[in-house]
């Protein structure tokens, strides 16, 4: 999610949004496609059997290919690469969940939520949304807001469902 945020910011800074309407008053941009391509590519390389459902169709705007996006995102300094920050915001994942077969999981991706606001220059509500289900039941969710707390690389929140309760963790100092 954080790497997709890097891509979203990169496209915004380039000034080449290539906004088109999917439906009336429902725009999609190069950043939507680029972020989804990055997320799909990253997950597919690690878990080829994983079910992936994305909001966007094929990239009608063109733009950088997946390899270029991965390279851009991997060069970015992410909070999660800081060992102290990672230790502070890590959710304890039960061992049983770590062993779930990828074929039983489905990842739902909205690569750039608040696209309309993004095209109008309002970036605060923009976020990357990723949700994971196990056998159609919610398992975890991640949101990343790349334009909130920019000096910290954005704000990332994650929640893991445990025994019918959700425990949330924030990668910001104040949750």
């Amino acid at each position: 999610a954080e790497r997709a945020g890097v891509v979203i910011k990169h496209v915004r800074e380039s000034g080449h949004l290539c906004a088109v309407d999917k439906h009336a008053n429902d725009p999609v941009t190069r950043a939507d496609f680029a972020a989804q391509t990055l997320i799909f590519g990253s997950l597919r390389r690690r878990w080829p059997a994983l079910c992936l459902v994305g909001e966007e169709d094929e990239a009608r705007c063109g733009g950088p290919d997946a390899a270029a996006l991965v390279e851009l995102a991997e060069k970015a300094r992410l909070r999660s690469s800081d060992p102290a920050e990672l230790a502070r915001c890590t959710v304890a994942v039960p061992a049983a969940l770590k062993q779930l077969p990828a074929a039983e999981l489905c990842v739902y991706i909205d690569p750039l939520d608040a696209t309309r606001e993004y095209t109008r220059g309002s970036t605060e509500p923009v976020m990357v949304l990723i949700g994971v289900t196990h056998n159609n039941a919610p398992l975890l969710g991640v949101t990343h807001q790349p334009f909130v707390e920019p000096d910290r690389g954005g704000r990332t929140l994650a929640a893991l469902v445990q025994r019918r309760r959700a425990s949330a963790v924030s990668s910001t100092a104040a949750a």
Side-chain angles (χ1 to χ4, degrees):
E2 290 180 358
R3 286 190 170 105
V6 169
V7 169
I8 290 167
K9 289 180 78 171
H10 175 76
V11 172
R12 175 105 212 122
E13 290 164 3
S14 78
H16 300 289
L17 301 183
C18 187
V20 296
D21 279 331
K22 293 189 289 188
H23 309 288
N25 205 24
D26 187 15
V28 64
T29 68
R30 175 174 280 143
D32 291 86
F33 294 123
Q36 182 165 299
T37 299
L38 172 66
I39 295 167
F40 269 50
S42 298
L43 293 173
R44 279 271 180 256
R45 273 193 313 283
R46 185 143 185 199
W47 299 286
L50 196 59
C51 168
L52 300 174
V53 178
E55 183 179 6
E56 309 309 341
D57 294 327
E58 62 188 71
R60 292 171 285 196
C61 288
D65 66 15
L69 296 172
V70 170
E71 183 178 341
L72 168 72
E74 286 179 350
K75 287 180 180 177
R77 183 191 171 282
L78 303 177
R79 277 189 321 278
S80 60
S81 62
D82 175 8
E85 180 74 7
L86 185 60
R88 188 181 67 71
C89 70
T90 299
V91 174
V93 178
L97 293 182
K98 292 180 182 181
Q99 303 303 317
L100 293 175
E104 294 179 5
L105 302 173
C106 190
V107 181
Y108 294 88
I109 299 156
D110 183 347
L112 195 167
D113 190 51
T115 301
R116 185 179 324 121
E117 291 81 355
Y118 179 77
T119 63
R120 294 177 179 168
S122 176
T123 55
E124 186 172 336
V126 169
M127 62 180 76
V128 178
L129 303 173
I130 301 174
V132 181
T133 62
H134 174 244
N135 293 329
N136 298 318
L139 182 61
L140 68 93
V142 176
T143 66
H144 176 66
Q145 295 174 281
F147 298 100
V148 173
E149 301 178 18
D151 55 323
R152 296 183 48 115
R155 177 172 52 199
T156 304
L157 303 171
L160 173 66
V161 176
Q162 296 179 343
R163 296 185 198 100
R164 298 183 188 218
R165 293 180 311 168
S167 62
V169 64
S170 168
S171 65
T172 61

